[in-house]
Amino acid sequence: MGSASWAIDIDRDDITQARLIEEAAAPLAPSQVRVHVDSYAMTANNITYAVFGKPAGLFGNDQGYWDFFAERSEAGRLPVWGFATVTESAAEGVAVGDRLYGYYPMASDAVLTVGKAGPGGFTDITPRRTTLPPIYNQYQRIEALPDYRAADHDYWPVFRPLFLTGWLIADQFEDEGDYGVQQILIASASSKTAIGLGFALKQRADRPETIGLTSAANVESLAAQGIYDRVISYDQIMTLNAATPAALVDMAGNGAVTRVVHSHFGNQLQASIIVGKSHWDAQADVEGLPGPERQGFFAPGRSQKRIADWGGAVFGQKIAEAWLVFMDVAPRLASIDKRRGGPAALEAYHEMLSGRTDAKAGIVVEP
């Protein structure tokens, strides 16, 4: 496709159907900017975005993740986290050359509508986005990020949103008195959100034991990272003491694993939290589960609660402090696998969809 702008269109009803298209640049309206997406991450989290692309109740309205970057009559555009540079501006307070961290479509370029521009960045006020969670609509200038270090650049899109989710789950556990449990089982423990959760929990002196659940092939390498107190394979769940109060955090939405845990612990399972749906094609199999009702975890909602509790400045400071500690160990937890161009971006999406990726690699696409 040469140097033309490109985007990846995804069938809203069948996320396996995705195609690379060329896209002409339309003139900007007042208050709009055009950005070139410099780099973004492709993780299992993005597959969760695709699964919940259509309205699923997450946002408390009839919107889903497809509504960030496409009208209802158009193909889906998958949201990704990354960095971009402003290439054209019709907005006051935003100049060509400004570099931004934020939420973009899986494309080489994007048009954003600027509101509340200031030294730290701006909010996208595209009409359909104003009723979506605010955390997704913030674009931050790189130089204004208090915890940004150039050495960590590639780890920001790979880990930052997922670490934040894991940190927020850990915060909820502490806020809830750990639900009265002595052990926290974390399914899909090699996922980056799970690693963020395990790392955040480990910073506490007084906490339940953390047990990472993963496939047998990953046990040894994951245990060596030292994120969890113990790592076991899914087929070893039945060896855990069923009399010990436990909680389950499910990162992938695999119903078979959920059923084994619920059946094994029964009423000793005090909480069952589902975070993502990267195992999008796995059977739900959740009817008639013994133990607690499963509860969903929605990071934007938890963020808004903590911002209300603490204020935005304190919330940002806590995240920044935790992030910098995590960044000191992130390079040993994941390597960066860089891909370039539209065809490579499409292939990375299909790899993530099929689960063919290396758990220790963070895919960064440079359009």
PDB file of all heavy atoms in Angstrom, residues 206-225:
ATOM      1  N   ASP A 206       1.024  -7.363  54.012  1.00  0.00           N
ATOM      2  CA  ASP A 206      -0.002  -8.233  54.576  1.00  0.00           C
ATOM      3  C   ASP A 206      -1.069  -8.470  53.526  1.00  0.00           C
ATOM      4  O   ASP A 206      -1.851  -7.577  53.205  1.00  0.00           O
ATOM      5  CB  ASP A 206      -0.617  -7.564  55.819  1.00  0.00           C
ATOM      6  CG  ASP A 206      -1.652  -8.447  56.493  1.00  0.00           C
ATOM      7  OD1 ASP A 206      -1.637  -9.664  56.245  1.00  0.00           O
ATOM      8  OD2 ASP A 206      -2.482  -7.903  57.251  1.00  0.00           O
ATOM      9  N   ARG A 207      -1.094  -9.658  52.976  1.00  0.00           N
ATOM     10  CA  ARG A 207      -1.998  -9.957  51.867  1.00  0.00           C
ATOM     11  C   ARG A 207      -2.205 -11.456  51.755  1.00  0.00           C
ATOM     12  O   ARG A 207      -1.440 -12.249  52.318  1.00  0.00           O
ATOM     13  CB  ARG A 207      -1.419  -9.425  50.561  1.00  0.00           C
ATOM     14  CG  ARG A 207      -0.021 -10.009  50.282  1.00  0.00           C
ATOM     15  CD  ARG A 207       0.490  -9.683  48.910  1.00  0.00           C
ATOM     16  NE  ARG A 207       1.860 -10.190  48.727  1.00  0.00           N
ATOM     17  CZ  ARG A 207       2.176 -11.452  48.466  1.00  0.00           C
ATOM     18  NH1 ARG A 207       1.225 -12.369  48.378  1.00  0.00           N
ATOM     19  NH2 ARG A 207       3.438 -11.815  48.308  1.00  0.00           N
ATOM     20  N   PRO A 208      -3.214 -11.883  50.986  1.00  0.00           N
ATOM     21  CA  PRO A 208      -3.380 -13.314  50.732  1.00  0.00           C
ATOM     22  C   PRO A 208      -2.258 -13.856  49.838  1.00  0.00           C
ATOM     23  O   PRO A 208      -1.549 -13.096  49.178  1.00  0.00           O
ATOM     24  CB  PRO A 208      -4.732 -13.390  50.008  1.00  0.00           C
ATOM     25  CG  PRO A 208      -5.409 -12.096  50.301  1.00  0.00           C
ATOM     26  CD  PRO A 208      -4.309 -11.083  50.446  1.00  0.00           C
ATOM     27  N   GLU A 209      -2.127 -15.164  49.822  1.00  0.00           N
ATOM     28  CA  GLU A 209      -1.201 -15.808  48.901  1.00  0.00           C
ATOM     29  C   GLU A 209      -1.729 -15.652  47.476  1.00  0.00           C
ATOM     30  O   GLU A 209      -2.928 -15.753  47.225  1.00  0.00           O
ATOM     31  CB  GLU A 209      -1.078 -17.297  49.237  1.00  0.00           C
ATOM     32  CG  GLU A 209      -0.128 -18.057  48.328  1.00  0.00           C
ATOM     33  CD  GLU A 209      -0.128 -19.554  48.586  1.00  0.00           C
ATOM     34  OE1 GLU A 209      -1.149 -20.074  49.094  1.00  0.00           O
ATOM     35  OE2 GLU A 209       0.880 -20.207  48.263  1.00  0.00           O
ATOM     36  N   THR A 210      -0.831 -15.402  46.537  1.00  0.00           N
ATOM     37  CA  THR A 210      -1.231 -15.316  45.134  1.00  0.00           C
ATOM     38  C   THR A 210      -0.798 -16.585  44.397  1.00  0.00           C
ATOM     39  O   THR A 210       0.345 -17.018  44.512  1.00  0.00           O
ATOM     40  CB  THR A 210      -0.619 -14.084  44.447  1.00  0.00           C
ATOM     41  OG1 THR A 210       0.810 -14.128  44.555  1.00  0.00           O
ATOM     42  CG2 THR A 210      -1.137 -12.804  45.092  1.00  0.00           C
ATOM     43  N   ILE A 211      -1.738 -17.143  43.641  1.00  0.00           N
ATOM     44  CA  ILE A 211      -1.483 -18.385  42.899  1.00  0.00           C
ATOM     45  C   ILE A 211      -1.802 -18.132  41.434  1.00  0.00           C
ATOM     46  O   ILE A 211      -2.958 -17.893  41.062  1.00  0.00           O
ATOM     47  CB  ILE A 211      -2.335 -19.546  43.440  1.00  0.00           C
ATOM     48  CG1 ILE A 211      -2.043 -19.760  44.927  1.00  0.00           C
ATOM     49  CG2 ILE A 211      -2.065 -20.815  42.641  1.00  0.00           C
ATOM     50  CD1 ILE A 211      -2.937 -20.787  45.589  1.00  0.00           C
ATOM     51  N   GLY A 212      -0.797 -18.167  40.604  1.00  0.00           N
ATOM     52  CA  GLY A 212      -0.991 -17.989  39.178  1.00  0.00           C
ATOM     53  C   GLY A 212      -1.409 -19.294  38.525  1.00  0.00           C
ATOM     54  O   GLY A 212      -0.790 -20.339  38.759  1.00  0.00           O
ATOM     55  N   LEU A 213      -2.462 -19.250  37.726  1.00  0.00           N
ATOM     56  CA  LEU A 213      -2.937 -20.409  36.980  1.00  0.00           C
ATOM     57  C   LEU A 213      -2.585 -20.215  35.512  1.00  0.00           C
ATOM     58  O   LEU A 213      -2.925 -19.196  34.912  1.00  0.00           O
ATOM     59  CB  LEU A 213      -4.460 -20.562  37.121  1.00  0.00           C
ATOM     60  CG  LEU A 213      -5.042 -20.580  38.539  1.00  0.00           C
ATOM     61  CD1 LEU A 213      -6.566 -20.709  38.479  1.00  0.00           C
ATOM     62  CD2 LEU A 213      -4.447 -21.727  39.355  1.00  0.00           C
ATOM     63  N   THR A 214      -1.922 -21.196  34.925  1.00  0.00           N
ATOM     64  CA  THR A 214      -1.496 -21.075  33.535  1.00  0.00           C
ATOM     65  C   THR A 214      -1.414 -22.449  32.903  1.00  0.00           C
ATOM     66  O   THR A 214      -1.652 -23.467  33.568  1.00  0.00           O
ATOM     67  CB  THR A 214      -0.146 -20.337  33.449  1.00  0.00           C
ATOM     68  OG1 THR A 214       0.143 -20.023  32.087  1.00  0.00           O
ATOM     69  CG2 THR A 214       0.987 -21.163  34.044  1.00  0.00           C
ATOM     70  N   SER A 215      -1.090 -22.504  31.631  1.00  0.00           N
ATOM     71  CA  SER A 215      -0.926 -23.793  30.968  1.00  0.00           C
ATOM     72  C   SER A 215       0.353 -24.464  31.452  1.00  0.00           C
ATOM     73  O   SER A 215       1.290 -23.801  31.910  1.00  0.00           O
ATOM     74  CB  SER A 215      -0.880 -23.608  29.453  1.00  0.00           C
ATOM     75  OG  SER A 215       0.218 -22.802  29.097  1.00  0.00           O
ATOM     76  N   ALA A 216       0.397 -25.783  31.364  1.00  0.00           N
ATOM     77  CA  ALA A 216       1.539 -26.540  31.882  1.00  0.00           C
ATOM     78  C   ALA A 216       2.856 -26.077  31.258  1.00  0.00           C
ATOM     79  O   ALA A 216       3.887 -26.016  31.931  1.00  0.00           O
ATOM     80  CB  ALA A 216       1.323 -28.032  31.629  1.00  0.00           C
ATOM     81  N   ALA A 217       2.813 -25.696  29.975  1.00  0.00           N
ATOM     82  CA  ALA A 217       4.036 -25.298  29.286  1.00  0.00           C
ATOM     83  C   ALA A 217       4.608 -23.986  29.821  1.00  0.00           C
ATOM     84  O   ALA A 217       5.803 -23.711  29.670  1.00  0.00           O
ATOM     85  CB  ALA A 217       3.756 -25.154  27.787  1.00  0.00           C
ATOM     86  N   ASN A 218       3.767 -23.179  30.466  1.00  0.00           N
ATOM     87  CA  ASN A 218       4.220 -21.869  30.947  1.00  0.00           C
ATOM     88  C   ASN A 218       4.623 -21.841  32.412  1.00  0.00           C
ATOM     89  O   ASN A 218       5.146 -20.833  32.894  1.00  0.00           O
ATOM     90  CB  ASN A 218       3.102 -20.821  30.751  1.00  0.00           C
ATOM     91  CG  ASN A 218       2.865 -20.476  29.301  1.00  0.00           C
ATOM     92  OD1 ASN A 218       3.729 -20.656  28.461  1.00  0.00           O
ATOM     93  ND2 ASN A 218       1.666 -19.996  29.002  1.00  0.00           N
ATOM     94  N   VAL A 219       4.360 -22.916  33.147  1.00  0.00           N
ATOM     95  CA  VAL A 219       4.535 -22.898  34.604  1.00  0.00           C
ATOM     96  C   VAL A 219       5.957 -22.533  35.009  1.00  0.00           C
ATOM     97  O   VAL A 219       6.175 -21.625  35.829  1.00  0.00           O
ATOM     98  CB  VAL A 219       4.129 -24.251  35.226  1.00  0.00           C
ATOM     99  CG1 VAL A 219       4.562 -24.317  36.700  1.00  0.00           C
ATOM    100  CG2 VAL A 219       2.628 -24.450  35.128  1.00  0.00           C
ATOM    101  N   GLU A 220       6.933 -23.205  34.462  1.00  0.00           N
ATOM    102  CA  GLU A 220       8.317 -23.015  34.902  1.00  0.00           C
ATOM    103  C   GLU A 220       8.801 -21.595  34.637  1.00  0.00           C
ATOM    104  O   GLU A 220       9.372 -20.942  35.517  1.00  0.00           O
ATOM    105  CB  GLU A 220       9.235 -24.027  34.204  1.00  0.00           C
ATOM    106  CG  GLU A 220      10.672 -23.982  34.716  1.00  0.00           C
ATOM    107  CD  GLU A 220      11.549 -25.061  34.090  1.00  0.00           C
ATOM    108  OE1 GLU A 220      11.007 -25.954  33.402  1.00  0.00           O
ATOM    109  OE2 GLU A 220      12.783 -24.998  34.293  1.00  0.00           O
ATOM    110  N   SER A 221       8.583 -21.099  33.413  1.00  0.00           N
ATOM    111  CA  SER A 221       9.081 -19.763  33.073  1.00  0.00           C
ATOM    112  C   SER A 221       8.342 -18.679  33.849  1.00  0.00           C
ATOM    113  O   SER A 221       8.938 -17.682  34.268  1.00  0.00           O
ATOM    114  CB  SER A 221       8.957 -19.515  31.574  1.00  0.00           C
ATOM    115  OG  SER A 221       7.599 -19.598  31.156  1.00  0.00           O
ATOM    116  N   LEU A 222       7.034 -18.877  34.068  1.00  0.00           N
ATOM    117  CA  LEU A 222       6.262 -17.879  34.805  1.00  0.00           C
ATOM    118  C   LEU A 222       6.661 -17.862  36.278  1.00  0.00           C
ATOM    119  O   LEU A 222       6.791 -16.793  36.880  1.00  0.00           O
ATOM    120  CB  LEU A 222       4.762 -18.157  34.661  1.00  0.00           C
ATOM    121  CG  LEU A 222       3.811 -17.094  35.226  1.00  0.00           C
ATOM    122  CD1 LEU A 222       4.052 -15.741  34.587  1.00  0.00           C
ATOM    123  CD2 LEU A 222       2.356 -17.524  35.021  1.00  0.00           C
ATOM    124  N   ALA A 223       6.882 -19.018  36.849  1.00  0.00           N
ATOM    125  CA  ALA A 223       7.311 -19.085  38.244  1.00  0.00           C
ATOM    126  C   ALA A 223       8.653 -18.392  38.439  1.00  0.00           C
ATOM    127  O   ALA A 223       8.889 -17.744  39.469  1.00  0.00           O
ATOM    128  CB  ALA A 223       7.392 -20.541  38.694  1.00  0.00           C
ATOM    129  N   ALA A 224       9.520 -18.486  37.442  1.00  0.00           N
ATOM    130  CA  ALA A 224      10.846 -17.890  37.541  1.00  0.00           C
ATOM    131  C   ALA A 224      10.803 -16.362  37.583  1.00  0.00           C
ATOM    132  O   ALA A 224      11.745 -15.722  38.044  1.00  0.00           O
ATOM    133  CB  ALA A 224      11.710 -18.344  36.365  1.00  0.00           C
ATOM    134  N   GLN A 225       9.694 -15.766  37.129  1.00  0.00           N
ATOM    135  CA  GLN A 225       9.577 -14.307  37.148  1.00  0.00           C
ATOM    136  C   GLN A 225       9.358 -13.769  38.563  1.00  0.00           C
ATOM    137  O   GLN A 225       9.576 -12.583  38.817  1.00  0.00           O
ATOM    138  CB  GLN A 225       8.430 -13.859  36.243  1.00  0.00           C
ATOM    139  CG  GLN A 225       8.687 -14.103  34.766  1.00  0.00           C
ATOM    140  CD  GLN A 225       7.546 -13.610  33.896  1.00  0.00           C
ATOM    141  OE1 GLN A 225       6.527 -13.123  34.390  1.00  0.00           O
ATOM    142  NE2 GLN A 225       7.707 -13.719  32.595  1.00  0.00           N
TER     143      GLN A 225
END
